Amino acid sequence: MKQIIFNSDDFGRHELINRAVEKSFGAGLLKSATIMAGGVAFEDAVAIAKKNPALGVGIHFTLANGFPVLPPEKIPTLVTAEGIFFADYVEFFKRYLQGKISAEDIKAELAAQLEKIQRTGIILTHFDSHQHLHHFPGVLEIALDLAVAAKIPAMRVSATKILSGELGNFGQFIGRLGLSTLAKIARYKAHKKNISTPENFSGIVAGESVTENFLLNLIENLQEGTTEVMLHPGIDNKILQNYCVWEHDFEAELAALTSQKISALLVEKNISAVNFKAVKF
């Protein structure tokens, strides 16, 4: 059996991302999104989720490139002088390896993010993280323990194929190799705690966007089991690229998620678009 999960990350980060999630869900392909508790459009995302109960919602744990839920003074090792997270995973890794980040701060902040979402009444289908930080040793164990306590049944495993898609340079190759290795360890540890994971993952190897052509090719060659496709759809590239400080083609991913060609091919191939509720190890 073949199933596919189209998951939109960064739900709640910006209203134009939320509108894209809502539109993609209405088109019938997107059935899963991960919500960012510290996002400026969090409440708007919650309203969309409650209006569309068939949308599976996970938690997008965030420790870099975003806003904390806790007051900065309660998690001093995680934030800059301005009280926001450090710019990206590279800065986070560097500080973590230098012993400048407290595991207690990580646990407190991730627990606060989870509690904020739980207070809305949303039942979480899974968890992942911004910039894949839940795969990092130390963060992984905290995230897994929180998920077990909260009875979150599934987790993303970002085990992309190292040589697939675009590969710009040797540094990118090393990055994929490292992520793939950490992801395999994360899968093993998740299963030890009875947390399910999809068999396959795609989405971060498509250059600046997961396009319609990329998805058509993926579906034509889809592997057995469940494949998660990570996406970041949005409305208005100019606004979102400036806000996120990321040259991502949000509009192309929205176009792919509302494509009639994709819908038709899934029907032809008898492949179901599902959310993480369908994942059973």
Side-chain angles (χ1 to χ4, degrees):
M1 182 177 66
K2 296 179 181 180
Q3 300 182 128
I4 192 164
I5 299 171
F6 299 107
N7 187 89
S8 176
D9 286 13
D10 297 354
F11 192 31
R13 189 178 191 186
H14 193 285
E15 285 193 5
L16 293 178
I17 292 173
N18 293 354
R19 298 283 81 73
V21 169
E22 192 170 31
K23 186 173 182 179
S24 300
F25 176 76
L29 288 179
L30 185 78
K31 299 182 185 297
S32 182
T34 33
I35 195 166
M36 189 178 273
V40 297
F42 173 77
E43 298 297 339
D44 179 60
V46 170
I48 291 170
K50 289 187 173 182
K51 189 168 65 175
N52 300 283
L55 176 68
V57 177
I59 179 171
H60 199 52
F61 282 129
T62 305
L63 291 169
N65 187 231
F67 303 99
V69 167
L70 288 176
E73 62 270 18
K74 291 192 175 182
I75 48 166
T77 68
L78 294 180
V79 296
T80 67
E82 291 75 30
I84 61 175
F85 290 134
F86 292 98
D88 55 34
Y89 71 94
V90 175
E91 184 66 18
F92 178 90
F93 285 168
K94 186 191 304 181
R95 294 180 63 83
Y96 188 93
L97 293 173
Q98 290 172 344
K100 294 180 179 180
I101 289 181
S102 161
E104 289 304 311
D105 285 1
I106 293 173
K107 183 176 180 180
E109 173 60 25
L110 295 188
Q113 292 177 18
L114 178 56
E115 183 181 358
K116 182 177 179 180
I117 297 170
Q118 289 176 315
R119 286 198 302 267
T120 70
I122 290 174
I123 304 300
L124 294 168
T125 58
H126 67 292
F127 75 93
D128 56 34
S129 63
H130 197 48
Q131 300 190 357
H132 309 290
L133 282 173
H134 72 288
H135 290 326
F136 191 65
V139 178
L140 171 65
E141 289 73 18
I142 291 170
L144 285 172
D145 286 345
L146 289 171
V148 169
K151 298 182 180 179
I152 300 173
M155 179 189 82
R156 166 184 292 165
V157 174
S158 310
T160 184
K161 292 182 178 179
I162 298 168
L163 297 178
S164 64
E166 297 179 8
L167 195 60
N169 53 52
F170 183 69
Q172 201 173 35
F173 170 80
I174 294 299
R176 284 191 198 175
L177 178 62
L179 177 59
S180 181
T181 301
L182 291 175
K184 290 173 183 176
I185 295 170
R187 187 193 303 278
Y188 172 78
K189 290 190 174 183
H191 290 183
K192 291 277 284 185
K193 290 183 177 288
N194 294 316
I195 292 177
S196 299
T197 61
E199 288 90 345
N200 312 301
F201 177 80
S202 184
I204 62 172
V205 295
E208 292 304 322
S209 64
V210 174
T211 63
E212 179 186 71
N213 285 339
F214 179 87
L215 288 182
L216 290 170
N217 182 67
L218 177 69
I219 293 165
E220 286 283 2
N221 298 282
L222 200 67
Q223 295 175 273
E224 288 294 326
T226 303
T227 299
E228 181 195 2
V229 183
M230 181 185 74
L231 296 118
H232 298 80
I235 296 171
D236 198 319
N237 277 345
K238 185 176 180 180
I239 292 174
L240 289 176
Q241 288 173 358
N242 181 64
Y243 180 80
C244 299
V245 195
W246 183 27
E247 293 300 314
H248 177 72
D249 195 342
F250 299 89
E251 294 176 17
E253 297 207 346
L254 174 58
L257 281 170
T258 53
S259 165
Q260 290 300 311
K261 287 184 180 180
I262 303 298
S263 297
L265 185 59
L266 288 175
V267 172
E268 178 187 328
K269 298 290 185 180
N270 194 30
I271 296 169
S272 299
V274 298
N275 63 38
F276 274 81
K277 290 180 181 179
V279 178
K280 304 296 180 185
F281 281 87

